[in-house]
Amino acid sequence: NTNKIEPYTEEDPMGGHDPYSSSKGCSELITSAFRNSFFDISKSNQQKISVASVRAGNVIGGGDWSKDRLIPDVMKGFLKNEKIQIRNPDSIRPWQFVLEPLNGYLLLAEKLLNKKFEFASSWNFGPDENKTFSVKTILDKIRTKWGLETFVEFKTSNIHEENNLVLNSDKAKKNLNWQPKVNIDLAIDWIVEWYKTYHENKDIRKISENQIEKYLKL
């Protein structure tokens, strides 16, 4: 992150200030090195393997229980009726419903499976530039949809985090005919629906499959 205003493309340099970000950059560099060394697409007539890497925006959806992530932390607080601690409420992130990047991954995998070696590269999958939101905005939308006034404590983390992260997904839109289809309000609807179903001990497999079917019809 160089704190530039424009969304980041696949061609921007890799790196990261903190270990988490840096590890992602390292993974990309290693993947690129293996692709260039052992799976050279300029020799596609000799290759049987296509290697690509994918980068998603901030993925949100039902079934996420990971530690120190916004949606899981909020939902755990709601389900247990406990105070929620939220760090860096003004940070902007490219939030997207989980099925969006998965759709992109499958489209890309199909191209690679058919030995389309020109697709063996890096790919961004994220929401449109004008559809990114702050942590606090997402939180407020969830609280409104859930209908609870759970106490929230905002805090500033001592661990370095970038304030604004936005991806440019023009490459996927142009070459894979991929488009984000779920706006943030629909994403919040589906997320709250999933966790409420879980909380009420109802069939979460059924609700998950229903959301997939709804997504495919968009």
Side-chain angles (χ1 to χ4, degrees):
N1 192 319
T2 58
N3 293 314
K4 68 175 185 176
I5 299 175
E6 297 82 10
Y8 290 90
T9 72
E10 289 85 352
E11 304 305 318
D12 282 315
M14 292 289 104
H17 182 282
D18 56 278
Y20 177 69
S21 303
S22 183
S23 69
K24 290 188 174 185
C26 289
S27 298
E28 293 283 353
L29 292 172
I30 291 170
T31 302
S32 177
F34 266 82
R35 179 171 53 236
N36 294 335
S37 298
F38 305 113
F39 310 112
D40 187 354
I41 61 174
S42 67
K43 303 174 182 177
S44 58
N45 61 325
Q46 304 174 25
Q47 291 296 336
K48 295 183 179 180
I49 298 176
S50 296
V51 179
S53 59
V54 292
R55 305 103 173 244
N58 286 52
V59 178
I60 54 178
D64 186 357
W65 301 106
S66 302
K67 185 179 179 181
D68 295 328
R69 283 169 54 82
L70 178 62
I71 299 300
D73 287 350
V74 170
M75 291 305 168
K76 289 173 187 175
F78 283 168
L79 296 175
K80 297 179 181 180
N81 196 26
E82 295 178 348
K83 178 176 66 175
I84 303 169
Q85 288 191 334
I86 301 297
R87 66 181 189 276
N88 301 327
D90 296 323
S91 293
I92 305 294
R93 295 290 181 265
W95 312 98
Q96 61 180 340
F97 191 67
V98 61
L99 295 180
E100 299 277 45
L102 290 181
N103 180 36
Y105 297 171
L106 291 173
L107 290 171
L108 176 59
E110 184 178 30
K111 297 291 187 183
L112 298 175
L113 183 63
N114 291 325
K115 296 182 173 60
K116 301 291 186 180
F117 292 98
E118 65 268 29
F119 290 87
S121 58
S122 56
W123 299 81
N124 290 343
F125 297 98
D128 293 332
E129 178 183 355
N130 61 347
K131 295 180 181 178
T132 58
F133 301 91
S134 69
V135 169
K136 185 177 185 303
T137 297
I138 299 299
L139 173 62
D140 289 342
K141 286 179 177 292
I142 294 173
R143 294 172 73 183
T144 299
K145 182 64 182 178
W146 191 285
L148 285 178
E149 289 298 325
T150 304
F151 179 68
V152 178
E153 179 183 14
F154 294 110
K155 63 177 183 178
T156 301
S157 173
N158 292 325
I159 299 175
H160 175 83
E161 285 190 57
E162 303 295 348
N163 185 60
N164 189 24
L165 293 175
V166 184
L167 290 176
N168 181 315
S169 304
D170 288 346
K171 179 179 174 181
K173 293 176 182 178
K174 178 181 178 181
N175 297 286
L176 297 174
N177 197 29
W178 175 85
Q179 290 287 340
K181 301 187 288 186
V182 180
N183 64 42
I184 194 61
D185 291 314
L186 181 57
I188 298 300
D189 286 349
W190 285 356
I191 289 169
V192 171
E193 178 186 42
W194 195 98
Y195 284 99
K196 280 194 171 183
T197 300
Y198 170 87
H199 183 55
E200 295 167 359
N201 293 315
K202 294 181 180 178
D203 191 341
I204 54 174
R205 180 185 180 90
K206 182 178 180 181
I207 197 67
S208 300
E209 291 176 345
N210 286 343
Q211 290 184 359
I212 293 173
E213 291 176 2
K214 292 176 185 176
Y215 178 82
L216 292 174
K217 293 178 181 178
L218 292 176

